[in-house]
Each structure stands twice: as C-alpha cells, then as structure tokens.
Amino acid sequence: MEYQQIAVLAYLTGMMIIDFFILWLLFRSHNASRKAVLFISSIFLYMSTEATDIGYILFYHGSILVEIFTIFISSIPILLSLKVKDKGYWRDDMISSTLLTVTLVLDEVSMGYAYSSAFGPHLNPIVSSVSNPAFGVMMMADAIFFLALNKVKFDVKELALFTFASSMAFMPNVFLAFDKNVWLVSSVFSSLIMIINIITLYLIEIRRASFNAQLLSISLAGLDFFMMLGLSLFVIGDGLMMISLAMIGAMAFYFMLIFHKFSDRKIRIGAGTSLLFVSLINLAELTMGFGESVLGFVVTNSIFSPRHMNSMSSMRSPHNNPLWWMFPLNPLSMINMAEKSANMLHDPLFSIFWASYMLIMTTTMMPFYILMMGGEMLFLVYERYKHAKSSEVRRWALMIIIAMPVFVWLLPYYTNFYIFGMSGMIFPVTVIGFILSMVIMSTASILFGRRAFCNTICMSAHMWTNAYYDKFKAKKNSNFWQYFRWIPFGLMMIFFSWWILGEVGVLRFLRLGMSTLNPLDLFGMFTLNYVWWFFFFMTPVFGTYSCARQGWCGYGTFMGIFNKVLFKVKPNDVKLCETCKEITCEKACPSKITIRDDILKKGFMNRISCIGCADCVEACEYNNLMIQDIRGYIADKKKLK
C-alpha cells in the first residue's frame, strides 16, 4: 500500500469521526436553528470537496486550481448564514433538514469517490463512489450511529431505519473488487436484512395510522424495490448505474427521515394507500427473488461446476453443486428460452404475455423466493396467532406455520408428489405421485373440509391468513361467482385428464418452439403463479381469498366439494342467530357466505366456497358458532358412549 493510499484512509477516517461528532452535537442541542445548519453544511461541503479534490488531483492528475472553485462553492452556505433569519428548531424546518441531507450525502459520496480513486474501481464517478467497501462501512456506521443516537424508546420504526441502512452496506456492488462468491454471500446477507426490514414495514402498517409512519413504510418499500431492481439489472449484465443511483437516493431519503420531524398526525388509510404499499413491497420481493436466484445460480455453478456452465445450456444446476437445492434453475435462461419460443409464432402480444408469465412464474417458483416469502408471511401468521381470540383460529394458524415448510417447499420441490401449482419445477410429477397426492388431499378434505388444503397447505393460507392482509376482506359478493367457479373447475379437469392420458401415451403434449407444454404444470402454475399473484398484488381492491370467493381456482373448488361430507359451521343455539342484528360472522367471512341464512334454513353452513378459516367463529359476539369436522363426530360418539 502506497503512502498516498494510506493518507486517503487516514483522511476518510478523520472525516467520519468529525461528521459523527458534529451530528452528535447538533442532535444534542435543542435550540439549533437554520443558521447552525448552514454553518455545519459548509463544514460538510469543505470536507467533501476536499475529499473529491484529493482523489481527482492525486490519482487522476487533475489541476490543483480546482481547489479555488470548490472552496468557493463550499462557502456559500456559511455566507448565507450571515443573512438568513432563523426559523426555529432545525428539525422542524424542511429547508434545514433538506440542506443537511444534501450536504451529508455529498460528503459520504465524495468519501466513496476518494476511496475508489485510491483503490478502485475506476469506473463512472457515480458508480465508483458507491461500489466500494468504504461506502458499505459508512452506511453501516450511519445505521449504528443513528440507532445509538435515538433517545426515544427503541421501537419498530427505529428497527426499520436501522435494517434499511444496514441492507445497503452489504449490496454486492459494494464488494465489486472481490470475487463473485463474495458478491453472492454479501447479496444474500443484504437480502436477509431486507427481509427483516420488510417485516418491520408490515408491522408499522399494522400498528400505526399516522402520516409519519405511512411516509416511512411506503418510501422504504419503494426504495427497497428500486435497489432490488438495480440488483436484478446488475446480475443480468445491464451495468451498475441503476443500483448506484438507487443507493444514493435511498441514502438521501434515509437521512431525511431521520433529520426532519414529519407530522405524526393520525390519518385515514384508504385502499389506494394500501394498494401502493402492497404493490411496492411485492415488487421489491419479486425483484429480490429474481436477482438473488440468477446470481446464486451463476456464482455457485461457476465455482462448483465450471464445465457445466461452459458446455451446457446453463438452465439447471447439476447435483454436484452442493447448493443446487437453493439455486436449481436459472430464471434468466428460462425466460430467454421462452421468449425465443414465443417469437416463433410471430405474435407480439402473445410474446409479451408469455414473457411476463415466465418472469413471474420462474421467479415465484424459485426456492430462494419461497423461503424469503415464507419467512415474512409466517411471522405475520404468528402475529395473527398471538392476537387471535378464538382457539379455533389459533389452532389453524399454528397448523399453517407447521405446514408451510413441508407442503409449500419440501414436498413440491424435492419429491414427485403433487401440490397444486407448486410441483413439477425441479422434479417432474409422476402418475403414481399425482394419484397418491390426490387421494391424500381428498381424504383430508373429507375429514376436515376444504381448509385442509386452502387454509393450511396452499400458499394462500400464509399469504392471506395473517395479521396484515386479514383486514382486506371483501365487503360484498355476487351470485355470479357461484356459477362461474365451475368453468375453471372444468378446465382443470380437462388439463388433468390430458396430462394423465399424455403420461400413459394416449395423447401428445403441445409444443411451443423448443418447449413442451406439460398440461399439469401449465394449468397449475398459470393459476397459482400468475393469476393468483395478480389478485395478491390487488388484495386491497379485490380482498383476501378472492380465489375461493370468485372461484377462479378450480383446485380449491374441487376440494370444496368435500365440505359437503363432514364439514359444517354450526350454531350452539339457532335462536341466537335468528335474533342477531349485527351478523358479524358474515362481515368477517373472506368468502362472503350468507352464513346466517344457511343456518336458519338447514341448521348449518357447508358451502363449497368456505375455506374453514374460522373467522366467523371468532367474530360471533355470542360465541355461538363452532366448526364441526371429523373431530366433532368422534367427540359426539364418545359422549354417547
């Protein structure tokens, strides 16, 4: 290491210490005003321009005369402080907060530029400034400093800000000068921190209905998305500009959220606000799943199976890659192949549809994405479990937590059994595996009702039966859906029959270019990984469990037929239902079933669309409802004995 590089490290270390000391004094003071901020901004600018000049002059052989111009620019805030009038406490003043944010961002970006000038990478100045370890160290130091500086009791908002800044510190471009395996480790670690950040944003949405809380949760969700979009563009070879700009913008907004005291007034959270938050969160998760899956596939196979990467289509990971189970497929290669196949038809609209379908399907079917989403949603299911009033709801929330890793990940991904919409991506479903799966699921649905699948095994259970999404229940329903549901059901039976006949050699499967269209996978994955995801994005508009209420999931309708065997929602006393005026059971029902009408007509409710979530049982003000399944029949027989 040369003396110039040592000098740069010493200068940057000194800058960080001075920055934190000044900020500590500023936050400690309760009467600092706009004048103080202008003065401090000049100090930050002096240090930042000096760092930039050091990198430019020492390592790019620039003219020393640039110092005259930068010193003049840096002096402007301190000159303005001589004339400006104070506007009260600086954190209540938007101009002061914005000015301090801008100058501190310039300060830290310039430190990154000085480091990259000395040690590399020598790329575009913007990219170089954030694509180096110094920037990561600064972001981690910022996260720890502002967390420690907080005088208020530690809460979920502080954790959200801390994890947001920490995730930036480990983005893969920060370690651009290192080997690709370091990129993967740092990127996965960054994503794990971001998953925690997303959970905290959900908790803020659940617990706080203030302007400040909504601004924080929506803005951080949007910035998470743009950073993950930058990651995805980076791994497909589209450069580092997007991820660099996203990180600079994220850093600026992070400082702004800390510096300015935004209003904490209570606000009404409408469907539009919720839709924006849900969309940004899901876009962040999709881009994260895609970026990490592609990066993981490329890096792990280049390390463990370099010949495979060079000689084959780079579509599947061989089993000599010890991480094949996490990164079994390359979503990018699958999308490219699907696009080529669709282009053979010379239909632009179909090509766009097929590319979008493959993008969403391949991303949402990747194990990394499933585990990421599973971790987030199971925490929210646990929150639902903690606050549930009914033992029936708690029992089934616990069942969802237990069932998720088995039925949404292990069985569909690493066996030949069939879980609707989830199986067939890694190991093909066999006829025997399919038949056994259908027999087992049908038997479970006979014994426990449709909830054996829809409210336990299907991913809709942990995505919708949780503490956040549970509030988006539909307000009304239409009789149209009671008839419409048989169309998807009929299509499912056709595709299932087609697949079985194809497997035994009676029929042939269709081909699209180089791809063979497996009817079983096509229908299941299209339903669960394309249609379902559209409705999940639009949950604040269409409500939860639209799949059951509107009947567009044929498999759910099939399982719902078994509600007619043993499953019932029954009252302890029918007369209480007659006199009930609030009818809270129907308001709580995500499928919008006319529960009271059914009970008054036949003494129970066992509609095909009932998913057995037990929300009606919990909502009943008289504690008058119960769910009857095989357990109830066994208990009744014991009583008779």
Side-chain angles (χ1 to χ4, degrees):
M1 187 181 294
E2 298 181 0
Y3 74 92
Q4 291 176 326
Q5 293 174 318
I6 296 174
V8 168
L9 288 178
Y11 182 76
L12 297 183
T13 303
M15 277 184 69
M16 289 182 65
I17 294 172
I18 294 171
D19 285 351
F20 289 140
F21 180 70
I22 292 173
L23 289 170
W24 177 74
L25 291 175
L26 185 62
F27 272 84
R28 191 180 180 188
S29 173
H30 296 289
N31 56 4
S33 60
R34 186 181 291 182
K35 283 190 174 183
V37 170
L38 285 166
F39 180 81
I40 290 171
S41 295
S42 275
I43 295 176
F44 285 160
L45 285 175
Y46 285 136
M47 291 192 294
S48 65
T49 54
E50 193 62 32
T52 304
D53 292 346
I54 288 173
Y56 177 66
I57 295 169
L58 290 183
F59 301 98
Y60 292 103
H61 310 294
S63 173
I64 198 171
L65 295 177
V66 74
E67 289 269 14
I68 300 173
F69 175 74
T70 55
I71 289 174
F72 171 75
I73 295 296
S74 303
S75 302
I76 292 176
I78 204 168
L79 293 174
L80 290 174
S81 69
L82 300 175
K83 292 187 176 182
V84 75
K85 293 183 179 180
D86 280 336
K87 294 287 185 179
Y89 186 48
W90 72 276
R91 294 191 69 191
D92 296 323
D93 178 25
M94 179 62 76
I95 294 177
S96 298
S97 303
T98 304
L99 179 62
L100 189 63
T101 294
V102 171
T103 52
L104 189 57
V105 168
L106 290 173
D107 183 52
E108 299 206 353
V109 169
S110 66
M111 283 194 273
Y113 175 79
Y115 180 92
S116 67
S117 299
F119 297 94
H122 303 288
L123 305 170
N124 177 296
I126 295 176
V127 173
S128 298
S129 298
V130 298
S131 300
N132 60 74
F135 185 85
V137 170
M138 285 185 289
M139 286 311 306
M140 196 68 238
D142 288 334
I144 296 170
F145 173 78
F146 287 113
L147 183 66
L149 195 64
N150 178 48
K151 295 180 180 179
V152 184
K153 183 180 178 182
F154 180 78
D155 63 4
V156 67
K157 176 187 172 183
E158 303 304 323
L159 181 58
L161 288 168
F162 174 77
T163 51
F164 178 72
S166 300
S167 67
M168 282 191 281
F170 296 95
M171 291 292 281
N173 60 309
V174 170
F175 301 92
L176 193 63
F178 295 81
D179 293 334
K180 286 185 178 181
N181 55 334
V182 178
W183 297 3
L184 177 60
V185 172
S186 67
S187 183
V188 170
F189 190 63
S190 174
S191 293
L192 292 175
I193 298 173
M194 192 172 288
I195 291 168
I196 298 173
N197 178 250
I198 290 172
I199 291 172
T200 63
L201 300 184
Y202 273 121
L203 292 177
I204 289 171
E205 286 287 306
I206 293 169
R207 299 173 184 177
R208 297 188 177 186
S210 66
F211 174 80
N212 187 16
Q214 293 302 304
L215 176 66
L216 185 144
S217 59
I218 291 175
S219 60
L220 293 192
L223 292 166
D224 282 342
F225 163 56
F226 283 114
M227 285 195 290
M228 290 298 102
L229 179 61
L231 170 66
S232 295
L233 293 175
F234 167 59
V235 299
I236 67 174
D238 205 32
L240 290 163
M241 182 57 74
M242 180 65 191
I243 194 171
S244 301
L245 292 174
M247 289 174 68
I248 293 173
M251 178 173 60
F253 217 96
Y254 166 73
F255 288 147
M256 195 66 190
L257 289 170
I258 289 175
F259 292 157
H260 190 68
K261 285 188 174 181
F262 290 97
S263 172
D264 209 32
R265 70 181 186 276
K266 297 291 182 181
I267 61 171
R268 181 181 175 276
I269 303 175
T273 303
S274 297
L275 179 61
L276 178 60
F277 173 75
V278 168
S279 298
L280 290 173
I281 283 290
N282 281 287
L283 286 170
E285 291 162 340
L286 281 171
T287 48
M288 184 194 304
F290 176 79
E292 294 292 359
S293 296
V294 174
L295 182 63
F297 179 91
V298 172
V299 172
T300 57
N301 281 296
S302 64
I303 295 172
F304 299 108
S305 305
R307 292 183 180 178
H308 173 84
M309 291 295 291
N310 293 331
S311 62
M312 298 181 68
S313 61
S314 300
M315 184 79 72
R316 289 181 175 270
S317 292
H319 288 183
N320 64 341
N321 177 350
L323 293 174
W324 71 267
W325 57 273
M326 178 62 76
F327 307 110
L329 301 163
N330 186 348
L332 181 60
S333 297
M334 295 178 70
I335 294 167
N336 289 336
M337 187 183 76
E339 186 179 15
K340 291 178 182 178
S341 299
N343 287 338
M344 293 180 182
L345 298 179
H346 304 291
D347 186 339
L349 290 178
F350 179 78
S351 296
I352 293 172
F353 156 73
W354 194 248
S356 67
Y357 164 65
M358 289 300 295
L359 173 62
I360 295 173
M361 188 272 290
T362 54
T363 300
T364 56
M365 286 293 290
M366 291 299 107
F368 181 89
Y369 180 84
I370 291 295
L371 292 175
M372 170 193 69
M373 287 296 292
E376 291 175 17
M377 295 301 153
L378 287 186
F379 182 86
L380 297 179
V381 174
Y382 175 68
E383 286 289 303
R384 177 85 169 93
Y385 168 82
K386 285 198 307 182
H387 297 98
K389 299 175 183 177
S390 164
S391 60
E392 192 71 34
V393 173
R394 286 197 299 271
R395 188 179 300 115
W396 280 97
L398 188 61
M399 284 294 297
I400 293 170
I401 294 172
I402 296 171
M404 184 270 163
V406 177
F407 294 102
V408 181
W409 176 45
L410 293 175
L411 281 181
Y413 280 81
Y414 309 115
T415 73
N416 301 116
F417 289 101
Y418 184 67
I419 304 294
F420 180 73
M422 301 295 296
S423 299
M425 179 63 80
I426 301 175
F427 291 100
V429 179
T430 61
V431 174
I432 294 176
F434 175 79
I435 293 173
L436 283 175
S437 301
M438 295 298 289
V439 169
I440 292 170
M441 280 310 310
S442 298
T443 303
S445 297
I446 289 171
L447 298 177
F448 300 101
R450 176 175 177 166
R451 61 177 168 171
F453 179 77
C454 294
N455 201 42
T456 309
I457 292 174
C458 179
M459 68 180 184
S460 61
H462 63 273
M463 303 293 269
W464 272 331
T465 306
N466 63 56
Y468 177 72
Y469 286 92
D470 190 62
K471 65 182 179 181
F472 297 116
K473 290 171 181 172
K475 299 292 188 294
K476 57 184 179 180
N477 196 19
S478 169
N479 287 331
F480 167 78
W481 302 117
Q482 302 305 319
Y483 303 99
F484 170 80
R485 69 176 64 254
W486 299 109
I487 297 175
F489 172 78
L491 287 173
M492 183 196 73
M493 297 305 293
I494 292 172
F495 274 83
F496 280 10
S497 301
W498 184 7
W499 175 77
I500 292 174
L501 293 173
E503 287 293 306
V504 298
V506 176
L507 294 178
R508 291 183 179 181
F509 298 155
L510 293 178
R511 292 187 62 83
L512 179 62
M514 299 175 287
S515 306
T516 299
L517 301 182
N518 182 313
L520 187 70
D521 297 343
L522 180 64
F523 184 83
M525 292 178 185
F526 177 77
T527 301
L528 199 63
N529 295 288
Y530 195 72
V531 177
W532 190 89
W533 276 100
F534 169 78
F535 283 96
F536 183 66
F537 265 64
M538 302 293 287
T539 297
V541 177
F542 292 102
T544 58
Y545 280 106
S546 54
C547 49
R549 188 177 66 258
Q550 297 172 346
W552 46 260
C553 177
Y555 195 81
T557 298
F558 174 70
M559 291 302 165
I561 293 172
F562 298 109
N563 276 354
K564 302 295 184 179
V565 184
L566 296 176
F567 178 85
K568 292 179 177 67
V569 175
K570 296 175 60 177
N572 294 314
D573 185 353
V574 176
K575 292 182 179 179
L576 282 177
C577 295
E578 291 178 356
T579 57
C580 179
K581 295 180 180 180
E582 295 299 323
I583 319 179
T584 52
C585 58
E586 293 182 9
K587 293 176 183 178
C589 177
S591 296
K592 284 293 157 287
I593 299 170
T594 53
I595 300 171
R596 189 177 74 159
D597 288 351
D598 283 12
I599 287 175
L600 294 181
K601 287 178 182 177
K602 54 185 182 181
F604 58 86
M605 186 280 295
N606 63 346
R607 294 280 188 98
I608 288 174
S609 56
C610 178
I611 57 171
C613 63
D615 283 359
C616 56
V617 175
E618 184 177 52
C620 180
E621 297 177 341
Y622 306 104
N623 196 26
N624 188 41
L625 295 179
M626 61 175 287
I627 288 182
Q628 176 101 24
D629 54 26
I630 186 62
R631 295 168 300 163
Y633 285 97
I634 293 173
D636 290 343
K637 285 187 177 181
K638 286 183 178 179
K639 288 180 182 179
L640 292 175
K641 291 180 180 181

